[in-house]
């Protein structure tokens, strides 16, 4: 059920006036975003809805479970899994009965504060669903959303979004694990991440990955907050790589669209706001060029927000993952970092990262070029990984293996034989583009022992830097 909600048109016009932009001359900007956002906010589902997801949408922030009189009564709020400046995310689980401990379903439920500009601005759900509908499988799945009006004075209105739960955490989690244990994130996994991000950016820009031409009717999407925490790890997609978690971009809370034709004025207007996270912002975003007196000079506009900004942020994310991995694995802090990079990561990967980080916008790869390059690198290293696995004896770890599950990380912590074996193959330097052990360095194969059971993790501190899908 869809119900249009009124726009704060006066707020829109006041904002334009504050930027010295004549609202009458820029009515097309307002009308464009009104047509995209103003009619897509979801009204509350019927009170007698039998859908468990709808029951979560209706729940108050203080509720610990859904309405016990509903058909799906055993949907319980489990624990906080992330909190940011504009949103908080909780894990909800569905149980067979009030006495059951095994969850049948896990969902991430995000309560996002509304943009002060667009009163009913559910763009995150809309854009994620739009990408999914066009075939993008590297963004988090959104199931439903609903506008929730504030019920108490001083509380903000929110958009509640129900998304798939990323059971393996985010890239900051795995980066921390590898750095803390002085391990190298395998290059094959970095290509897997790079490809997933580039695939998403290509869909955002063109609505497809089949051509550098934008498909008819597609409005390019700018994400504006790409960083390790916003890449989530879900169960493996066997059609891509059965050994690695699926990497999905999330948190489209700052994302917006631009019209495919004549977008200079729109880009100029949207670029008057600074988005993203310091350290991952592109130079043109961090050192904002604000339009003056309502004039959007095309030369200025070319240096403002857009796909090129997201390409830079993706490159910065990859550099962060690579650098933290190298820093964690270095025994001597005075060792030459450049040499360590060459020891553990290939020239094509390092060159592609630096290409994304070019300061002049025109020298960065386009989203489609980046997709092509990362596809080549990902496919080559998949072949290397499968060769490593085939050559490893039963029970032996291999270099490209990634410890991303709680069970594998627990085994690394508790099984000393496995720990020694994994560290040997993980820290072996590059040889002709492939990491191998020197003759005589092959570790003794382990005694086959069952992996320990994964304990139930403690609730995360909501004030801790966490993931926000």
């Amino acid at each position: 059920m869809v119900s249009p909600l009124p726009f704060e048109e006066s707020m829109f016009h006041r904002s334009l006036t504050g930027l010295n932009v004549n609202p009458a001359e820029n009515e097309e900007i307002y009308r464009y975003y009104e047509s995209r956002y103003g009619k897509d906010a979801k009204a509350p589902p019927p009170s007698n809805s039998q859908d468990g997801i709808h029951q979560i949408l209706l729940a108050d922030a203080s509720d610990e479970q859904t309405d016990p009189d509903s058909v799906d009564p055993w949907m319980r709020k489990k624990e906080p899994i992330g909190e940011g400046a504009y949103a908080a995310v909780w894990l909800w689980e569905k149980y067979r009965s009030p006495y059951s401990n095994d969850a049948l379903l896990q969902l991430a439920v995000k309560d996002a504060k509304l943009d002060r500009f667009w009163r009913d601005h559910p763009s995150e759900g809309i854009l994620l669903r739009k990408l999914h509908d066009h075939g993008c499988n590297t963004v988090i799945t959104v199931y439903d959303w609903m506008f929730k009006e504030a019920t108490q004075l001083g509380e903000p209105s929110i958009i509640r979004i129900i998304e798939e739960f990323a059971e393996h955490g985010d890239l900051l989690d795995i980066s921390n694990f590898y750095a803390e244990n002085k391990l190298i994130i395998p290059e094959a996994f970095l290509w897997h991440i790079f490809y997933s991000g580039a695939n998403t950016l290509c869909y955002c820009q063109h609505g497809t990955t089949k051509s550098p031409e934008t498909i008819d009717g597609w409005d390019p999407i700018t994400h504006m907050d790409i960083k390790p925490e916003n890449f989530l790890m879900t169960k493996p997609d066997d059609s891509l790589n059965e050994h690695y978690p699926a990497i999905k971009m999330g948190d489209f809370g700052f994302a917006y669209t631009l019209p495919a034709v004549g977008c200079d004025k729109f880009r100029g207007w949207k670029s008057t706001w600074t988005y993203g996270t310091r350290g991952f912002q592109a130079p043109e975003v961090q050192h904002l060029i604000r339009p003056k007196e309502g004039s959007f000079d095309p030369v200025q506009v070319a240096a403002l927000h857009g796909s090129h900004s997201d390409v830079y942020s993706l490159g910065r994310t990859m550099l962060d993952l690579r650098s933290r991995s190298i820093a964690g694995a270095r025994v001597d802090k005075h060792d030459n970092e450049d040499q360590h990079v060459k020891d553990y990561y290939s020239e094509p990967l390092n060159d592609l990262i630096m290409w994304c980080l070019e300061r002049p916008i025109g020298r960065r790869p386009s989203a489609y070029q980046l997709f092509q390059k990362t596809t080549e690198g990902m496919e080559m290293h998949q072949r290397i990984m499968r060769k490593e696995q085939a050559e490893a004896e039963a029970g032996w770890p291999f270099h490209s293996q990634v410890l991303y599950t709680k069970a594998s990380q627990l085994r690394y912590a508790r099984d000393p034989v496995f720990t020694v074996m994994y560290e040997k193959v993980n820290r072996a330097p590059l040889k002709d583009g492939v990491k191998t052990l020197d003759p005589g360095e092959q570790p003794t194969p382990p005694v086959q022992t069952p992996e320990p059971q994964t304990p139930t993790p403690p609730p995360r501190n909501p004030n801790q830097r966490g993931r926000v899908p």
Side-chain angles (χ1 to χ4, degrees):
M1 180 178 178
V2 178
S3 175
L5 297 172
F7 258 65
E8 296 279 0
E9 186 165 359
S10 59
M11 173 70 80
F12 178 88
H13 284 180
R14 285 200 301 274
S15 298
L16 289 182
T17 304
L19 298 172
N20 296 316
V21 178
N22 187 327
E25 293 178 1
N26 292 277
E27 184 176 357
E28 60 181 305
I29 297 178
Y30 170 74
R31 296 305 169 197
Y32 168 77
Y33 284 107
E34 179 187 40
S35 69
R36 296 304 187 274
Y37 298 150
K39 299 175 182 177
D40 286 296
K42 300 274 182 125
S47 59
N48 61 349
S49 169
Q50 299 181 1
D51 190 332
I53 287 180
H54 282 180
Q55 295 297 326
I56 294 176
L57 290 174
L58 290 168
D60 292 331
S62 60
D63 288 347
E64 297 299 325
Q65 68 178 46
T66 52
D67 182 358
D69 294 327
S70 69
V71 174
D72 264 332
W74 310 121
M75 299 287 293
R76 303 177 195 160
K77 182 191 285 187
K78 187 71 174 177
E79 62 188 38
I81 54 177
E83 184 172 8
Y86 299 98
V89 187
W90 282 76
L91 170 63
W92 281 73
E93 293 181 336
K94 179 178 180 178
Y95 293 86
R96 192 180 306 277
S97 76
Y99 311 106
S100 174
N101 292 320
D102 297 324
L104 301 175
L105 176 66
Q106 294 180 307
L107 296 168
V109 180
K110 178 177 180 178
D111 285 349
K113 295 177 184 178
L114 286 172
D115 186 287
R116 68 180 180 85
F117 206 83
W118 306 109
R119 180 176 177 274
D120 57 343
H121 181 11
S123 65
E124 181 165 6
I126 295 169
L127 297 182
L128 283 168
R129 183 163 290 175
K130 180 179 178 182
L131 288 164
H132 264 291
D133 289 347
H134 282 78
C136 181
N137 62 353
T138 50
V139 292
I140 208 74
T141 302
V142 60
Y143 298 115
D144 211 342
W145 64 85
M146 190 183 79
F147 170 80
K148 292 179 74 68
E149 188 78 69
T151 57
Q152 296 183 15
L153 186 64
E155 287 186 353
S157 297
I158 62 169
I159 289 290
R160 176 164 292 171
I161 307 169
I162 301 183
E163 301 172 345
E164 68 176 309
F165 173 62
E167 60 264 46
H168 301 303
D170 58 45
L171 291 186
L172 180 62
D173 294 330
I174 200 165
S175 176
N176 286 339
F177 174 82
Y178 271 74
E180 289 165 3
N181 289 285
K182 302 186 182 303
L183 298 170
I184 295 291
I185 298 178
E187 178 162 351
F189 189 53
L190 289 187
W191 279 111
H192 179 68
I193 296 167
F194 216 168
Y195 162 82
S196 300
N199 182 72
T200 299
L201 293 191
C202 196
Y203 268 103
C204 283
Q205 181 64 16
H206 302 295
T208 182
T209 56
K210 297 178 181 178
S211 166
E213 301 298 323
T214 300
I215 62 174
D216 291 342
W218 182 263
D219 291 345
I221 299 169
T222 304
H223 185 281
M224 288 309 302
D225 196 22
I226 294 174
K227 57 185 176 181
E229 298 98 306
N230 288 340
F231 285 94
L232 306 171
M233 299 187 294
T234 66
K235 65 181 181 180
D237 179 352
D238 292 346
S239 66
L240 183 61
N241 191 322
E242 68 276 17
H243 297 291
Y244 290 158
I247 306 297
K248 299 187 178 184
M249 193 180 294
D251 197 353
F252 276 64
F254 288 151
Y256 60 86
T257 60
L258 293 167
V261 179
C263 66
D264 283 358
K265 184 183 297 185
F266 293 79
R267 180 179 288 123
W269 175 67
K270 289 297 288 187
S271 294
T272 59
W273 304 90
T274 301
Y275 297 88
T277 301
R278 186 167 293 277
F280 296 93
Q281 294 168 313
E284 61 272 17
V285 177
Q286 190 171 353
H287 306 293
L288 196 62
I289 303 173
R290 292 183 179 274
K292 297 179 180 179
E293 298 179 358
S295 173
F296 299 108
D297 184 345
V299 176
Q300 277 192 326
V301 169
L304 297 176
H305 302 182
S307 178
H308 47 265
S309 308
D310 283 346
V311 166
Y312 183 97
S313 297
L314 177 56
R316 187 63 185 81
T317 296
M318 299 307 302
L319 180 67
D320 183 75
L321 294 171
R322 190 201 71 181
S323 299
R324 294 187 78 235
S325 177
I326 289 293
R330 285 163 61 192
V331 176
D332 184 348
K333 66 180 180 180
H334 300 294
D335 283 354
N336 185 290
E337 182 173 348
D338 290 340
Q339 185 57 50
H340 275 266
V341 170
K342 294 176 182 177
D343 284 345
Y344 291 106
Y345 296 112
S346 67
E347 189 172 310
L349 176 64
N350 295 324
D351 287 349
L352 188 56
I353 291 174
M354 300 315 294
W355 189 14
C356 294
L357 298 179
E358 290 279 3
R359 290 186 70 84
I361 290 167
R363 294 179 62 179
R364 295 176 203 158
S366 68
Y368 184 73
Q369 287 175 315
L370 188 59
F371 169 75
Q372 289 183 306
K373 290 292 185 182
T374 55
T375 299
E376 292 171 6
M378 181 268 293
E379 290 177 346
M380 184 185 78
H381 280 270
Q382 274 193 354
R383 293 192 293 270
I384 292 173
M385 178 187 63
R386 291 191 172 102
K387 183 173 182 291
E388 290 173 356
Q389 185 188 29
E391 292 175 349
E393 295 187 23
W396 287 29
F398 52 97
H399 168 72
S400 296
Q401 182 178 355
V402 174
L403 308 180
Y404 68 92
T405 66
K406 290 293 187 289
S408 62
Q409 292 177 7
L410 193 60
R411 185 182 182 191
Y412 174 83
R414 294 184 176 180
D415 185 338
V417 176
F418 179 81
T419 301
V420 171
M421 288 173 51
Y422 186 77
E423 289 176 351
K424 281 275 189 181
V425 294
N426 175 265
R427 295 170 183 165
L430 280 172
K431 290 184 178 180
D432 300 323
V434 182
K435 295 187 183 182
T436 56
L437 292 175
D438 290 325
E441 273 197 317
Q442 299 294 341
T444 304
V447 177
Q448 296 297 309
T449 56
E451 288 193 1
Q453 295 295 314
T454 306
T456 302
R460 292 183 65 167
N461 185 343
N463 295 318
Q464 175 185 350
R465 187 187 185 193
R467 55 187 180 275
V468 178

